[in-house]
Structures are given as structure tokens and as C-alpha cells.
């Protein structure tokens, strides 16, 4: 597949979570994913964007989220969600099921677990004070091309 890197940046606002889902859905259309594959990648992207808004920027709505979409090959998509927020002190701890930095009980601590269950690989890079990059890789079973 022709290299088709798409990069976009948007405000870290809750309403942009659905925007990110729509963008990844439209981008994946060229590979003719199944409904299940599309739902899984949209859910994983939604979790990554939500984490950036809630944890990276502490819901203050002041900050940008960058999303980079590309096909690694014709049946494997990569979606990188980047924030420039506070960063994660211990990535391995943050990726443990039920771990949450939220002081109230509304957070389930399952964001990374959801991302991992709906994609084939999740890579997380983070630096305190500089932000976090979450790369989601999803293999698509079928490709009919355009």
C-alpha cells in the first residue's frame, strides 16, 4: 500500500473523542475492515484520546492532541495518539489492570487494558512534563484495496 501518513492535531476536549473515532474510521475504510475490526480500533483510539484528556491534561481542556495514522503494510494500521501533558511517571505500573491515578472512584483503571484487548500491540512512551505517545497497532484480516 502506498505510504499515506495522515497527521492531525485537535484540542484536548471531550467532544473531540468522537471526532478521533470518526477520523480513524474514515482512514481505515480503504482497507475494507470488518465491522468488528473497525469497532475495536475505534474503541482503542477512544481510550487513548480519553487518557490524554483526563490524565495528560487533567481535564483542563488546555492542550493539543496529535494523532498520526499510517498503514505499516496493507493490512496493518498504526495510530499514534500524542499529548504534551504531564506524562506518566511509571508506564509499566500505569498499564496494570485497575491502576488509576484518579483520586475519585469514577476511574476504572482499565484504559490500557482495553487498548491492549482491542489491538495487536500497544506501545507507550512518556516523559514527565513533556507528555505521552501511545501507538496502537491493529492487524486487519482482509484487504480488498481501492
Amino acid at each position: 500500500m502506498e505510504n499515506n501518513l495522515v497527521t492531525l492535531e485537535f484540542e484536548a476536549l471531550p467532544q473531540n473523542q468522537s471526532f478521533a473515532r470518526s477520523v480513524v474510521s474514515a482512514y481505515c475504510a480503504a482497507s475494507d475492515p470488518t465491522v468488528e475490526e473497525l469497532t475495536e480500533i475505534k474503541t482503542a483510539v477512544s481510550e487513548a484520546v480519553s487518557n490524554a484528556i483526563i490524565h495528560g491534561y487533567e481535564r483542563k481542556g488546555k492542550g493539543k492532541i496529535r494523532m498520526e495514522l499510517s498503514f505499516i503494510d496493507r493490512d496493518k494500521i498504526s495510530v499514534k495518539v500524542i499529548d504534551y501533558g504531564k506524562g506518566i511517571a511509571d508506564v509499566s505500573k500505569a498499564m496494570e489492570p485497575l491502576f488509576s491515578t484518579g483520586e475519585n472512584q469514577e476511574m476504572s483503571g482499565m484504559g490500557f487494558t482495553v487498548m491492549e484487548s482491542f489491538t495487536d500491540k500497544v506501545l507507550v512512551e512518556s516523559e514527565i512534563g513533556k507528555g505521552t505517545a501511545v501507538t496502537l497497532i491493529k492487524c486487519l484480516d482482509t484487504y480488498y484495496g481501492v
Side-chain angles (χ1 to χ4, degrees):
M1 174 174 265
E2 184 179 315
N3 186 0
N4 183 21
L5 173 65
V6 172
T7 303
L8 63 133
E9 191 172 79
F10 49 90
E11 296 295 326
L13 298 170
Q15 59 266 37
N16 285 335
Q17 189 173 349
S18 63
F19 171 73
R21 290 171 61 94
S22 297
V23 168
V24 78
S25 179
Y27 185 80
C28 287
S31 67
D32 197 23
T34 65
V35 172
E36 183 178 1
E37 290 169 334
L38 197 52
T39 299
E40 290 173 349
I41 191 68
K42 286 171 36 179
T43 300
V45 166
S46 187
E47 286 294 329
V49 171
S50 177
N51 274 359
I53 294 166
I54 293 169
H55 301 292
Y57 295 115
E58 298 176 320
R59 297 183 196 198
K60 294 178 182 162
K62 294 181 181 176
K64 303 279 186 190
I65 295 174
R66 178 181 172 102
M67 200 162 74
E68 299 173 356
L69 302 99
S70 64
F71 278 95
I72 296 168
D73 57 40
R74 58 190 217 168
D75 62 353
K76 190 183 295 181
I77 186 172
S78 171
V79 180
K80 190 172 195 175
V81 177
I82 304 161
D83 71 64
Y84 307 97
K86 68 181 202 172
I88 302 169
D90 186 344
V91 171
S92 59
K93 182 76 175 164
M95 292 182 77
E96 290 178 7
L98 303 177
F99 176 81
S100 178
T101 58
E103 294 179 15
N104 57 28
Q105 297 302 314
E106 72 181 68
M107 300 295 149
S108 68
M110 296 298 288
F112 284 120
T113 302
V114 169
M115 287 180 241
E116 288 176 324
S117 68
F118 288 132
T119 62
D120 295 287
K121 188 174 228 175
V122 177
L123 306 168
V124 181
E125 304 165 82
S126 190
E127 190 173 337
I128 295 296
K130 294 193 176 183
T132 302
V134 175
T135 303
L136 308 166
I137 298 173
K138 176 75 175 168
C139 296
L140 306 172
D141 289 333
T142 56
Y143 173 75
Y144 299 102
V146 275

